[in-house]
Amino acid sequence: MYQENGLTSPQNNYLLESLPGKACEQIIQSSELTELKFGEVLCEPGRPYKHVYFPLTSFISLMEIVPNHPPLEVGLIGNEGMVGITLILSIKEAPLHVVVQGPGTAYKMPAQKFTLALRENPSLLRMLNRYLFVTMAQLSQTAACTHFHEVEARLARWLLMTHDRAHADHFHLTHQYLADMLGVQRSAVTIAAGMLQQRNIINYTRGEINVLDRKSLEAVSCVCYAATNAAYAKQFA
Amino acid sequence: MYQENGLTSPQNNYLLESLPGKACEQIIQSSELTELKFGEVLCEPGRPYKHVYFPLTSFISLMEIVPNHPPLEVGLIGNEGMVGITLILSIKEAPLHVVVQGPGTAYKMPAQKFTLALRENPSLLRMLNRYLFVTMAQLSQTAACTHFHEVEARLARWLLMTHDRAHADHFHLTHQYLADMLGVQRSAVTIAAGMLQQRNIINYTRGEINVLDRKSLEAVSCVCYAATNAAYAKQFA
DNA sequence: CATGCTTTGTGGGCTGGCGTACAGAATAAC
DNA sequence: GTTATTCTGTACGCCAGCCCACAAAGCATG
């Protein structure tokens, strides 16, 4: 079950845990535990997946790129999910750029072994279908959120999602990086983040961000944060 | 195969046609041919699908709703696709609002029969997986498009998509309706549409829109139109 | 044909975010 | 310790689109 305020540094992946025992074991046995570095590119659109990843302490961004614009984040994956879910559709290519956002550990499994496991184990597919469904719901939610909601609310939402996945009150992200995620100017982030800092909701220096007051952050955030969590919870209750 | 400039009023659905012969027949036999009316609501988020639809001359919008904002269109389905694709994930509920956008004909099939057909016919699932993949790609594309591109370009893209699915140079849509689709003010649409009319790219009176110069419309449109078409073509080549 | 409704045109003030630029502050590199 | 680089604060003009409001024009209904 996905926990919102995850300050217990986990050595597990909720999605994996939700899988039927045999499938879970099989995946772990075919995986190696690796350390993902910040900025590492795991997939490119149109290129085949080499591996799938089940993050533990790391977290990972899905980025859509349209020409003549900076990339835009459309999804964030931590130990509640996996990278490579579209493989369950028997399509080998990744649809998006996938970049490591927060360094940390993850189970890394060769894509071929993953598809093999899928074939052998129909109950695995059944659970992962749900995760794909949630991912789709997130994509459309994000489309609307990005369009309608203001930078401050979106920033708050984004910090909350990161907070959940980093499993720590502290993480490293510069304003520039946040701006890229949200698809806005760096200076817009500086202003929005400044507001949050003034109100003692967060503080930061040179990319070191601390979440001080999570409750207030939730209040500032748009409803999309709660909505996507609810969608996840509904499938993995 | 999906045709971009579809002025031959079709009595077929490309997605259906791309299915293995037996599956295609089975679906048509379990379906009835119905007439969909403008504005008809086919699904609500969280409620189970009653039917799936394979549009012929009708076309249908997927709408995301976030509280305190007008709905936003995140997908458009015509005779290149189907309504209810997420059923292949064995999840009964629809993720989005689904509303008839252009009146016309469609094959209508009870959801249960559809899931049955899926179970009986693995090759059906294989093809539909591709369509789901394309749909996901469209969602993320739309997220970025909605955020970055200006109203005129998005309007042009939207008219092109509608043109393809209406299979006619003429269709009925008021500025207000277009504004709702694009998530912008009605007056913003009036201005953008006025520009297109001045340049003799389209003309319209009281909701009756004519596409006069498709090539120019493509030039005005953002790259997202071509991009989503390419994504579709890649899977259904 | 007169009344009422729907659709479109247009105007004006407002604002969030863009684009850009620069300067100070903290860190890293040498 | 000096220099280079990275990060943050801030400022200023600008504009797309918002919000609201109203008028005109086309249709429909009785």
Side-chain angles (χ1 to χ4, degrees), chain B residues 16-129:
Chain B
L16 264 183
E17 282 189 354
S18 75
L19 298 177
K22 225 169 45 182
C24 178
E25 269 177 46
Q26 184 184 2
I27 287 178
I28 291 179
Q29 278 170 9
S30 312
S31 297
E32 77 185 284
L33 192 61
T34 57
E35 194 76 24
L36 296 176
K37 277 176 281 184
F38 173 81
E40 202 172 329
V41 175
L42 305 183
C43 318
E44 299 275 6
R47 320 254 329 207
Y49 288 109
K50 288 188 200 126
H51 299 88
V52 302
Y53 299 85
F54 295 87
L56 301 177
T57 62
S58 58
F59 49 101
I60 290 147
S61 290
L62 305 180
M63 311 289 299
E64 172 75 39
I65 296 185
V66 334
N68 305 322
H69 292 277
L72 177 71
E73 190 190 72
V74 295
L76 189 56
I77 298 171
N79 78 325
E80 90 296 344
M82 68 172 288
V83 171
I85 185 63
T86 55
L87 279 173
I88 71 175
L89 301 175
S90 310
I91 291 170
K92 294 187 166 44
E93 302 108 59
L96 292 168
H97 294 263
V98 180
V99 183
V100 177
Q101 184 31 245
T105 52
Y107 286 118
K108 173 181 180 177
M109 181 182 190
Q112 289 186 346
K113 288 193 183 172
F114 180 68
T115 50
L116 209 68
L118 279 171
R119 218 166 297 158
E120 287 174 6
N121 199 333
S123 67
L124 174 58
L125 179 60
R126 260 197 304 275
M127 282 309 288
L128 292 181
N129 274 338

Side-chain angles (χ1 to χ4, degrees), chain A residues 174-176 186-187 190 197 204-207:
Chain A
T174 66
H175 290 185
Q176 182 61 63
R186 195 269 309 162
S187 53
T190 299
Q197 185 164 45
Y204 56 89
T205 45
R206 298 181 68 72

Side-chain angles (χ1 to χ4, degrees), chain B residues 130-151:
Chain B
R130 296 180 180 213
Y131 180 64
L132 182 58
F133 184 83
V134 172
T135 303
M136 285 188 72
Q138 269 203 39
L139 287 177
S140 26
Q141 182 88 34
T142 298
C145 177
T146 305
H147 184 58
F148 288 122
H149 295 144
E150 296 181 3
V151 171

Side-chain angles (χ1 to χ4, degrees), chain A residues 137-150:
Chain A
Q138 269 203 39
L139 286 178
S140 26
Q141 182 88 37
T142 298
C145 177
T146 305
H147 184 58
F148 288 121
H149 294 145
E150 299 181 2

